[in-house]
Amino acid sequence: MDAWSELGDFLKSRRAALRPEDVGITPHPTRRRVPGLRREELAMLAGVSITHYTRLEQGRGTGVSESVLDALARTLRLSEDETAHLKDLARPGTASRPAPPRAEHVSASARQLIAAMTEIPALVLDRRGDVLAWNRLGHALLAGHLPPDATAAPAARPNLVRMLFLDERYRELYPERDEEARLAVASLRLAAGRRPGDRGLAELIGELSMKSPEFASLWARHPVRTCTSGVKHLRHPLVGAMSLAFENLCVPGTAGQRLIAYTAEPGSPSEAALRLLGGGVTDVPLAHGQPGRA
């Protein structure tokens, strides 16, 4: 991805989403030709010259200062995640050519850790959402229709973002799938902004943009959001509805690997469902034509 072009598109999307009356500007009675704030209005409110701001939107900004970025973030009312994304895009680094994708590997200690979590579904993902490893219950919870050793071959590893848009069996796990899709795209946007030279990320984004109109539509809105903890509502084909708390933990010493673990409230129906799933009710027929890599 071209980080400078992404910066311009991101600024335009946030400027268009902010109404003049939201920032104390009384719209002129004549019809406005652009949605949201005009460039000159945003520049004035942020205390930035219109020339400088226009260069940023046109992808020609270099050496933009922290104070200017902070002023734009405040004026555009960006969230903490969106502000971090803005700064990532404004400082894309010095790499001139995307590096070839490199297969990632989970450490033996991380693999041993999730294997020891016998009553908790757990998995390790890389920054793109590829599943590097999962324990038995993690596999049964999220991808029982795939072979348990599906994570073994780097070129064919399941990718949770790809599965959410292209694997019908995985999609059906989420009764609130629209929100899950928005969060997945927003998280991928954040990852792409942090690593504009990641060819693997670029290839995943390109593939999903071509194969999924839903993904393409969401991607064009430039959502940005990270989610380190919360509750997932699932509808499992074998044990039914579950509400599981999750924690998304960074694996130290890696290039963005994350360990995700799911837990159920003690004494809840969801805990009973997890126990049933962990007790061996995992014989889900493999779905022909429904692989994790579409």
Side-chain angles (χ1 to χ4, degrees), residues 85-219:
H85 184 62
L86 172 67
K87 293 179 179 181
D88 286 336
L89 294 177
R91 292 159 185 166
T94 58
S96 60
R97 182 179 301 176
R102 297 178 60 182
E104 293 213 30
H105 301 281
V106 64
S107 68
S109 58
R111 193 181 297 276
Q112 182 175 319
L113 174 63
I114 63 172
M117 302 164 72
T118 56
E119 297 183 358
I120 298 174
L123 60 158
V124 178
L125 305 178
D126 68 8
R127 60 182 175 271
R128 306 177 189 99
D130 286 354
V131 182
L132 304 180
W134 47 28
N135 64 8
R136 189 176 69 87
L137 197 49
H139 167 252
L141 177 68
L142 298 178
H145 62 293
L146 299 179
D149 63 352
T151 63
R157 282 173 175 153
N159 177 282
L160 294 192
V161 182
R162 181 186 288 110
M163 291 170 68
L164 189 61
F165 289 94
L166 302 180
D167 184 331
E168 195 61 37
R169 292 286 289 274
Y170 184 72
R171 288 161 59 95
E172 289 174 354
L173 279 176
Y174 297 97
E176 299 174 355
R177 210 195 66 78
D178 289 347
E179 173 60 22
E180 195 68 23
R182 284 191 291 269
L183 179 57
V185 173
S187 297
L188 198 63
R189 268 274 179 205
L190 202 59
R194 289 172 180 163
R195 293 181 175 270
D198 189 319
R199 187 182 297 177
L201 266 176
E203 290 174 355
L204 174 64
I205 292 162
E207 175 193 356
L208 292 176
S209 297
M210 291 292 293
K211 294 181 178 179
S212 170
E214 179 188 16
F215 177 90
S217 175
L218 288 171
W219 186 258

